[in-house]
Amino acid sequence: MAKLKIYEYPHPILKQKAEPVAKVDDELRKFLDDMLETMYVADGVGLAAPQVGVSKRIVVIDVSHPDEGEERAPMFLVNPEIIWHSEEQSCQFEGCLSVPEQRAEVDRYVQVRVHYHDYNGKEQEVLADGLLAIALQHEIDHLDGILYIDRISRLKRQMLLKKLQKLRQEEEK
Ligand code: NI
């Protein structure tokens, strides 16, 4: 497995609408493995293909807690689509590997049902709530060129981007 480069805001690939995947084959599975490895190394709970420079509708997610003795539970989602969501929303802190070390509260649906193809290309559906529901909405947004900072107020976004700029300036020193 190979660790991939993570593209950060404001790279233009993060604003693009990603293309559907035609077929799940060995080459794609290798890419899925690399994405998962990259996400684990970066200590993230989700990663979308555009974040590693590939504008395809592919997401990996793992919301397990191995630090609390849980087994790892990776999910591979090819062409994921939200087919139902609850009316109810909640507001929780989110972060993103493409917007390093920042967090903000984002409104998301409490429950979502997602249709996708898995690691073997098989059709699957998942009904999710909690952190998984948030991760699914966040990652599927990436496939449509939307970052969580696009879903917060303009003032909060400006403050967050200012902090990001400061962080990068400090890193350059
Ligand atoms: Ni993200």
Side-chain angles (χ1 to χ4, degrees):
M1 280 190 273
K3 193 177 161 271
L4 307 168
K5 179 188 158 173
I6 295 179
Y7 288 64
E8 295 184 357
Y9 175 89
H11 196 286
I13 198 164
L14 299 171
K15 297 295 285 179
Q16 276 177 32
K17 191 171 165 75
E19 293 292 324
V21 172
K23 174 165 129 231
V24 180
D25 55 14
D26 285 346
E27 194 186 344
L28 187 84
R29 276 185 281 274
K30 188 188 172 295
F31 178 63
L32 290 170
D33 292 339
D34 289 345
M35 277 184 70
L36 189 71
E37 172 78 7
T38 303
M39 184 187 82
Y40 284 155
V41 170
D43 208 18
V45 298
L47 187 68
Q51 293 182 274
V52 291
V54 176
S55 196
K56 290 267 164 97
R57 304 191 77 80
I58 303 167
V59 161
V60 297
I61 290 176
D62 189 339
V63 294
S64 66
H65 298 280
D67 50 322
E68 293 166 21
E70 282 180 30
E71 291 267 340
R72 288 238 194 244
M75 283 180 78
F76 301 94
L77 302 103
V78 176
N79 299 335
E81 201 183 328
I82 295 172
I83 54 170
W84 173 86
H85 64 76
S86 60
E87 290 304 315
E88 195 190 345
Q89 295 193 332
S90 75
C91 193
Q92 307 273 347
F93 274 98
E94 292 182 24
C96 179
L97 295 175
S98 295
V99 190
E101 293 186 45
Q102 311 304 316
R103 283 156 67 78
E105 283 182 301
V106 186
D107 281 321
R108 299 285 187 188
Y109 298 115
V110 171
Q111 273 193 315
V112 289
R113 188 184 290 278
V114 172
H115 176 268
Y116 63 99
H117 287 79
D118 68 13
Y119 193 80
N120 297 304
K122 203 173 151 227
E123 275 191 75
Q124 301 282 356
E125 250 180 56
V126 60
L127 177 63
D129 58 15
L131 179 58
L132 181 57
I134 294 170
L136 285 164
Q137 290 168 84
H138 177 117
E139 300 310 330
I140 292 171
D141 263 358
H142 273 299
L143 306 182
D144 293 323
I146 300 166
L147 298 175
Y148 79 92
I149 55 172
D150 298 321
R151 294 194 179 277
I152 62 178
S153 74
R154 194 184 160 136
L155 181 67
K156 281 189 182 164
R157 184 166 54 250
Q158 283 170 346
M159 281 164 50
L160 187 151
L161 292 175
K162 211 170 269 180
K163 281 197 285 175
L164 180 64
Q165 199 181 8
K166 213 171 156 190
L167 176 83
R168 284 172 174 165
Q169 282 166 351
E170 279 162 15
E171 278 173 353
E172 272 172 27
K173 276 177 201 165

